[in-house]
Amino acid sequence: MTTNKLDTLEPLGSLSMTDRVENSLRLYFTESGFKPGDSLPNEQEMAQKLNVSRNVVREALSRLRMLGMIEARPRRGMVIAQPDLLVGLEKVMNPSLLSQDNLKDVFELRLILEMGIAEFLFARKTEQDLNELEAIVASQNDATVVSKEEEIAFHGKLYEMTGNDTFKRFQTLLMPTFDHVFTGYYNQSKKIEIPNPVTHYDLFKILKTGTVEEFRKAMYTHLAVYFASIL
Amino acid sequence: MTTNKLDTLEPLGSLSMTDRVENSLRLYFTESGFKPGDSLPNEQEMAQKLNVSRNVVREALSRLRMLGMIEARPRRGMVIAQPDLLVGLEKVMNPSLLSQDNLKDVFELRLILEMGIAEFLFARKTEQDLNELEAIVASQNDATVVSKEEEIAFHGKLYEMTGNDTFKRFQTLLMPTFDHVFTGYYNQSKKIEIPNPVTHYDLFKILKTGTVEEFRKAMYTHLAVYFASIL
DNA sequence: AAAATTCATTTGTAGGACAAATATAATGAT
DNA sequence: ATCATTATATTTGTCCTACAAATGAATTTT
């Protein structure tokens, strides 16, 4: 609890002007109740008000612009924009830079997500979804040993079927990292060579004619090969 | 599939020099196989190499610095750093700016996550965790109608018990947004006034002495009040 | 050889300049 | 008076120069 509070406390001495201006602007935007489409004061005004150079203001604005929080129309001024939720995550997601701890957490996160989507799948599956999923399963020759691409195709389709676009994109972000960690744990081969007691076809069949409970149980077994390495 | 490929294609004309330098630097860092701790060329060199002003380079670097991908030690040069996975998400998470679609997705995401953590909870629960959880449950006078704070305390503890720090922080990010959407769907009151057939105490008891399957079933019923509004 | 001093390096910050395009105002034509 | 044309002001994007301050390296002094 107390540590949580301290998380927002940054080492003041190390904060550059740009950092402080960024914070000030964020505060200003929310305090002023700005909504997407509202126009902002120009850079010079901000700089004067904050008593810093226009350079510093621009560096701070550049950050917010990257995240899609503001938009600058050259020679017409800036407006508040509607940031995309995952753009920040996309920008940071770089397996070779992330810490081992973060990578492990991502690894687990995927498992948590896959276990959690059962309800949504059954609530939202359509005939067409099932047909597409069947096509994906049918194209997989060896049912017990699937390639990385086949794995992504099948599970990706499941994420897509949740009807949650953010969720689907989230998966697209996590998958490479997941794979990076997984192959790191096992070996450097490109194939996931572990035979699976519950195949993609099994999962498909249950999703088509079975129940939520059955599906989740099957999915658990299907994922157990990953779980086993960390739980 | 084709749309996915196009996602990475930005409108070239609208790309500012800063945008392009940011992309160039990202490419440069990964292509060069930079690892955390490696030192970077100085700003002037980059500017000359890229044939842009130092201002543009600094604006791009400012972005990477915000995300924690690089660190600048004044007068000693810059080094590649280890970005925190969620820092980008934190920076963007602002309920009043996010789109209605994004908000809805976050809402669903929480439900998916809560349904997915059962395995981890049972695999990693400790005596101390259970004691703390019991204390939280005990402090809630009316078992069927809990306040927002009590809700956060209980479920927050669950996330914490997964032992996945990123996951826990992820929840801290999602919760306010979730609440924002939920209260928006129902009313403006601060209390979640809907009586719940499965109480926190029930969940606690199952987590202590029950099975994974029992817990998930109970959690489903517990969350059904939220599910009902969107599924 | 050790200590003190000087020097070069590099980020952070400030401030000035101007191109280009847009919106607005002013001017001119009918 | 109305419309079309022209001039003006605005504002972001980009470039340039300058300098403070602290660090680390190089140099000089003792």
Side-chain angles (χ1 to χ4, degrees):
Chain A
M1 298 286 172
T2 48
T3 51
N4 246 356
K5 285 279 183 196
L6 280 170
D7 283 349
T8 57
L9 237 51
E10 298 183 58
L12 285 171
S14 72
L15 278 190
S16 67
M17 279 297 152
T18 302
D19 290 333
R20 289 161 61 181
V21 168
E22 185 202 334
N23 291 337
S24 292
L25 290 179
R26 286 177 177 281
L27 205 64
Y28 169 58
F29 293 164
T30 51
E31 299 270 299
S32 309
F34 276 132
K35 289 273 174 305
D38 294 352
S39 61
L40 301 177
N42 67 47
E43 298 171 349
Q44 198 67 45
E45 274 182 81
M46 291 179 176
Q48 278 170 7
K49 209 77 170 173
L50 292 164
N51 200 32
V52 293
S53 74
R54 199 181 142 216
N55 274 347
V56 168
V57 172
R58 276 190 63 82
E59 284 188 20
L61 289 173
S62 178
R63 298 176 175 184
L64 303 181
R65 208 157 36 227
M66 172 185 64
L67 296 177
M69 305 183 77
I70 63 176
E71 254 172 43
R73 286 100 40 98
R75 295 141 221 119
R76 291 198 294 152
M78 294 175 288
V79 294
I80 298 281
Q82 212 160 57
D84 180 273
L85 184 62
L86 295 185
V87 72
L89 209 55
E90 278 170 1
K91 294 269 182 187
V92 165
M93 191 66 79
N94 185 338
S96 65
L97 292 189
L98 292 177
S99 73
Q100 212 59 35
D101 279 350
N102 269 171
L103 290 175
K104 181 170 159 293
D105 289 348
V106 167
F107 186 80
E108 294 186 5
L109 209 46
R110 185 214 157 171
L111 303 180
I112 290 171
L113 292 173
E114 299 251 351
M115 294 302 298
I117 58 176
E119 264 73 25
F120 283 83
L121 286 178
F122 275 83
R124 295 181 177 167
K125 63 179 179 184
T126 68
E127 203 59 46
Q128 200 194 328
D129 278 333
L130 290 171
N131 288 339
E132 286 179 36
L133 196 62
E134 187 166 27
I136 291 170
V137 173
S139 73
Q140 303 182 173
N141 26 7
D142 188 345
T144 54
V145 180
V146 296
S147 73
K148 178 162 53 171
E149 288 74 23
E150 290 169 337
E151 187 76 5
I152 290 179
F154 180 81
H155 289 269
K157 180 60 189 170
L158 290 186
Y159 282 65
E160 198 180 306
M161 287 172 65
T162 60
N164 184 324
D165 201 50
T166 300
F167 190 49
K168 166 66 179 158
R169 287 180 52 218
F170 197 53
Q171 181 251 359
T172 320
L173 277 177
L174 258 45
M175 263 300 195
T177 307
F178 177 86
D179 194 68
H180 180 260
V181 180
F182 182 64
T183 53
Y185 275 159
Y186 278 88
N187 48 47
Q188 287 78 14
S189 89
K190 289 195 189 79
K191 284 233 175 190
I192 297 168
E193 296 287 3
I194 304 147
N196 206 307
V198 172
T199 67
H200 288 166
Y201 178 70
D202 296 331
L203 288 171
F204 159 72
K205 221 166 45 179
I206 296 172
L207 184 54
K208 184 165 186 173
T209 61
T211 67
V212 177
E213 283 72 23
E214 283 173 337
F215 183 83
R216 193 150 41 205
K217 209 173 187 87
M219 180 62 93
Y220 175 71
T221 312
H222 179 70
L223 293 177
V225 53
Y226 305 122
F227 274 90
S229 62
I230 53 169
L231 278 184
Chain B
M1 297 290 172
T2 47
T3 52
N4 246 356
K5 284 279 181 195
L6 280 170
D7 283 351
T8 55
L9 236 52
E10 297 184 59
L12 285 170
S14 73
L15 278 190
S16 67
M17 279 297 153
T18 303
D19 291 332
R20 289 163 60 184
V21 168
E22 184 202 335
N23 291 338
S24 293
L25 290 180
R26 287 178 177 280
L27 205 64
Y28 169 57
F29 293 164
T30 51
E31 299 270 300
S32 308
F34 277 132
K35 289 272 174 305
D38 294 352
S39 61
L40 301 177
N42 68 44
E43 297 171 352
Q44 196 73 291
E45 272 182 83
M46 291 180 176
Q48 278 171 7
K49 209 77 171 170
L50 292 164
N51 200 33
V52 292
S53 74
R54 198 181 143 216
N55 272 355
V56 168
V57 172
R58 277 190 62 82
E59 283 188 21
L61 289 172
S62 178
R63 298 176 176 184
L64 303 181
R65 206 156 36 226
M66 172 184 65
L67 296 178
M69 304 183 75
I70 62 175
E71 254 172 46
R73 287 97 42 97
R75 294 142 221 116
R76 290 198 294 151
M78 295 176 288
V79 294
I80 298 281
Q82 212 160 57
D84 180 274
L85 184 63
L86 295 185
V87 72
L89 209 56
E90 278 170 1
K91 294 268 181 187
V92 165
M93 191 66 79
N94 185 337
S96 65
L97 292 189
L98 292 177
S99 74
Q100 212 59 35
D101 279 350
N102 270 170
L103 290 176
K104 182 172 158 291
D105 289 349
V106 166
F107 186 79
E108 295 185 6
L109 210 45
R110 186 217 155 170
L111 303 181
I112 291 172
L113 291 173
E114 298 251 351
M115 293 303 297
I117 57 175
E119 263 74 24
F120 283 83
L121 286 177
F122 274 82
R124 295 182 178 168
K125 64 180 178 182
T126 68
E127 203 61 46
Q128 200 194 329
D129 279 333
L130 290 171
N131 288 339
E132 286 179 36
L133 195 62
E134 187 166 28
I136 291 170
V137 173
S139 73
Q140 303 182 173
N141 26 6
D142 187 345
T144 55
V145 179
V146 296
S147 73
K148 178 161 55 173
E149 288 73 23
E150 290 169 338
E151 188 75 6
I152 289 178
F154 180 80
H155 289 270
K157 180 61 190 169
L158 290 186
Y159 281 66
E160 199 180 303
M161 286 173 66
T162 61
N164 184 324
D165 201 49
T166 300
F167 190 50
K168 166 67 178 157
R169 286 179 52 216
F170 197 52
Q171 181 251 359
T172 319
L173 277 177
L174 258 44
M175 264 299 197
T177 306
F178 178 86
D179 195 67
H180 180 259
V181 180
F182 182 65
T183 54
Y185 275 160
Y186 279 88
N187 50 46
Q188 287 76 15
S189 88
K190 291 198 187 75
K191 284 235 176 191
I192 298 170
E193 295 289 3
I194 304 148
N196 207 308
V198 172
T199 66
H200 288 167
Y201 178 71
D202 296 331
L203 288 170
F204 160 73
K205 221 167 44 180
I206 296 172
L207 184 55
K208 182 164 187 171
T209 61
T211 69
V212 177
E213 283 73 22
E214 282 175 335
F215 183 82
R216 192 150 41 203
K217 209 173 188 86
M219 179 62 93
Y220 176 70
T221 312
H222 179 69
L223 294 177
V225 53
Y226 305 121
F227 274 92
S229 62
I230 53 168
L231 276 184

